[in-house]
Amino acid sequence: MLKYLAVVSSLLIFVEAIQRWHTSQIMLTKLYDVQNDHFNVLDNYANLETKRLEELKNYVAAVYEWRDNIKTKKQFLHDHMDVFKVMTQMLQHYFQIDDLIKNKKSLEAFKDIDEHKDLSGEHIVLLAHRALRRLQLFYAIPASDMSAGRFNEKVIGDRMDACECCVMAKYCLEGNDPYGVLDWAVEAYGKWESEGRPECVDPDILNYYIVSSSVYTGFNFMNLIILSGPNYQEYTEKFERYYRLMKNELFELEKESTTDIMEVYEYSIGHGYMKDFRNLCKHGVSRTLTKYSKCRYQTNNLFYRILMPFKEEDINSEPLIKIYHDVLYDDEILKIKTLALENMKDATVKSVDGKGDSLIEKTRSGQVYWISKVDAVEYLDALDTRIESFTGFSTKTAEQYQIVNYGLGGHYLPHHDSFAKAILTDVQNDGYTSFPLLNIIAPAEKGAALVWNNLHMSNGQKFYESLHGSCPLLKGNKWIMTRWLYEEGQHLPYDWKNNVQII
């Protein structure tokens, strides 16, 4: 069976019916561009409307002036020729006014607005909410910290106001996430009070959020927060009276309509290695050098590398994990980024039956682009030579280069494969590649190559310890490029086709 042999991973990081704007930094950048186009269309429409209304106003004023002049002629109704002229003129006035009211140019501009309707609709905010909620659950960030834009004493974003916190509570409710509802509703209430009670927050709805989610979660909502409103007493009495019945119904509802957010949460706390993965990502513990760890300049006996040796760093021995620093140059990174910019698509994962790919955002969120062999030969031939030099493996049978860009909460949960990853951008204190079974994390370092073996070199069996994942991105713009190296075409001590050791 043909399998991936090794992985070279290089990070390039720079600081469908439903459009997924949040899945990559490229799409988020495009969203601003599309919104700018939208505003230009609206501006054009507004200018045309202003011009139309001004013309209509002036024309109506002229019609009134004409009418007043007619009235000064007391005998004009007795002159039948003049009456005909007046009636004809009145009809022309009507058509002209009707044309100004309808104004085809404005209508055409209005149609242009419809072409940008992908910016409207709640699905844009809903998908972004789910990504943000996944981040919150994964890193266990209280709503109070996340709304302040801080985590682990570092800034992760701007401060959220009461209105935005209330929106988070709303979508948590729609996603049957009562703990999220309570967390964000209480935060929204606090901000609502401190910000002068802005009208964007309906206190009656906020009461409902807090009371209903408190009943479900078991918190004492009577002492948790002081609320008032026309329906507050009614809500309280109702929920207290039917507490048991409602709680049972809510549990049944959870079973029937659990969203991907709740599934991710259960998945995150239900597996031993997932706890290790989350702990490594959350605390960002730097890799620890042991007596077996070494850093060196490596030429691999290549004479032309004497002046430009590879900067090789040992991370682990079994399975072999190494980092090669400065193997990608800025001009190459720019070419790679340019190739990918207009061709990224939402990342998928293999279906359980192995017969296709599925878009499962709870497992993987980001956008990818596969560089064609023609472009690879033109732009990345020299990189192939470098990969062959420091891995000792041939790239002639390797998989195509895959470019990945992560967006809001971009991640890839732990999985197995065999490839090399190249890093295209720096992500300060974030964007780690984590090996949870080895308690190892590798930082995102621009131009570096993270290399590891997923197979035992003696027999081709999978290294279970090579399980790895991409930590959910809290901040920054993470790009990586991967290159899967196959067993085929390599000098190996076993027959990879029949998986038999050669003696």
Side-chain angles (χ1 to χ4, degrees), residues 148-332:
R150 294 187 176 277
F151 173 64
N152 278 358
E153 299 183 352
K154 68 178 181 179
V155 177
I156 60 174
D158 292 336
R159 179 182 177 277
M160 298 173 70
D161 60 25
C163 308
E164 292 161 337
C165 291
C166 195
V167 170
M168 287 292 294
K170 169 191 173 183
Y171 286 119
C172 284
L173 182 70
E174 293 181 4
N176 190 32
D177 181 4
Y179 292 95
V181 176
L182 187 59
D183 196 13
W184 284 102
V186 170
E187 182 65 17
Y189 174 82
K191 289 182 177 291
W192 178 67
E193 287 279 21
S194 64
E195 294 171 6
R197 301 192 172 191
E199 293 182 359
C200 59
V201 175
D202 186 333
D204 206 33
I205 292 177
L206 202 58
N207 289 351
Y208 175 80
Y209 288 165
I210 294 175
V211 173
S212 60
S213 57
S214 294
V215 168
Y216 178 84
T217 58
F219 284 93
N220 186 348
F221 57 85
M222 295 295 292
N223 298 325
L224 183 66
I225 201 166
I226 300 175
L227 291 168
S228 61
N231 296 321
Y232 177 67
Q233 188 65 32
E234 178 186 347
Y235 289 152
T236 305
E237 293 177 356
K238 175 182 177 182
F239 281 116
E240 285 183 327
R241 188 179 306 122
Y242 299 110
Y243 174 85
R244 295 182 181 278
L245 177 61
M246 286 198 66
K247 191 164 185 177
N248 289 335
E249 289 179 348
L250 285 167
F251 273 120
E252 290 301 319
L253 177 63
E254 179 181 354
K255 292 178 184 177
E256 295 175 4
S257 58
T258 300
T259 67
D260 63 338
I261 297 171
M262 294 299 292
E263 290 170 359
V264 169
Y265 179 70
E266 292 298 328
Y267 185 77
S268 296
I269 64 175
H271 297 72
Y273 66 80
M274 280 300 300
K275 292 181 180 179
D276 295 333
F277 175 64
R278 181 162 58 176
N279 186 61
L280 284 170
C281 293
K282 183 175 181 178
H283 298 291
V285 181
S286 300
R287 55 189 184 280
T288 303
L289 297 180
T290 68
K291 63 179 180 179
Y292 303 105
S293 303
K294 296 180 180 179
C295 298
R296 66 184 69 83
Y297 287 108
Q298 180 64 264
T299 64
N300 286 347
N301 297 320
L302 299 170
F303 71 90
Y304 61 86
R305 279 288 163 190
I306 295 176
L307 296 178
M308 294 183 63
F310 294 115
K311 300 173 185 177
E312 183 181 76
E313 180 181 352
D314 295 338
I315 303 299
N316 197 65
S317 56
E318 291 289 324
L320 180 69
I321 304 176
K322 293 178 179 288
I323 293 179
Y324 292 90
H325 303 273
D326 302 324
V327 299
L328 269 175
Y329 308 131
D330 288 345
D331 61 331
E332 291 175 321

Side-chain angles (χ1 to χ4, degrees), residues 17-200:
I18 297 179
Q19 184 68 60
R20 295 175 178 268
W21 291 104
H22 68 287
T23 53
S24 75
Q25 287 289 329
I26 285 179
M27 290 303 295
L28 291 172
T29 301
K30 287 182 178 178
L31 178 59
Y32 279 102
D33 294 338
V34 171
Q35 188 179 51
N36 186 60
D37 292 341
H38 195 185
F39 288 159
N40 288 338
V41 169
L42 288 172
D43 189 52
N44 180 46
Y45 174 74
N47 289 336
L48 289 171
E49 281 293 279
T50 300
K51 181 180 178 181
R52 176 184 70 82
L53 291 174
E54 188 64 28
E55 289 179 357
L56 180 60
K57 179 181 177 181
N58 293 336
Y59 190 77
V60 170
V63 171
Y64 271 111
E65 184 179 354
W66 169 83
R67 179 176 177 275
D68 290 341
N69 288 334
I70 292 296
K71 287 179 64 177
T72 60
K73 299 179 180 180
K74 296 182 179 181
Q75 300 299 320
F76 81 97
L77 290 178
H78 299 164
D79 189 333
H80 294 185
M81 291 296 295
D82 287 345
V83 168
F84 176 76
K85 285 182 179 183
V86 169
M87 295 179 68
T88 303
Q89 193 66 35
M90 290 176 65
L91 184 61
Q92 290 177 351
H93 291 161
Y94 169 79
F95 284 130
Q96 183 65 26
I97 291 173
D98 185 64
D99 187 56
L100 285 171
I101 290 174
K102 294 180 178 178
N103 197 309
K104 294 181 179 180
K105 290 182 179 180
S106 295
L107 292 175
E108 290 298 320
F110 195 76
K111 290 179 181 178
D112 290 338
I113 295 177
D114 285 343
E115 293 179 4
H116 296 79
K117 62 186 177 182
D118 51 349
L119 287 178
S120 63
E122 287 192 272
H123 69 272
I124 294 177
V125 180
L126 174 61
L127 293 174
H129 162 268
R130 289 179 179 176
L132 196 61
R133 182 68 175 137
R134 274 196 299 271
L135 276 177
Q136 185 187 10
L137 290 173
F138 184 87
Y139 288 108
I141 308 174
S144 56
D145 288 351
M146 182 162 275
S147 67
R150 294 187 176 277
F151 173 64
N152 278 358
E153 299 183 352
K154 68 178 181 179
V155 177
I156 60 174
D158 292 336
R159 179 182 177 277
M160 298 173 70
D161 60 25
C163 308
E164 292 161 337
C165 291
C166 195
V167 170
M168 287 292 294
K170 169 191 173 183
Y171 286 119
C172 284
L173 182 70
E174 293 181 4
N176 190 32
D177 181 4
Y179 292 95
V181 176
L182 187 59
D183 196 13
W184 284 102
V186 170
E187 182 65 17
Y189 174 82
K191 289 182 177 291
W192 178 67
E193 287 279 21
S194 64
E195 294 171 6
R197 301 192 172 191
E199 293 182 359
C200 59

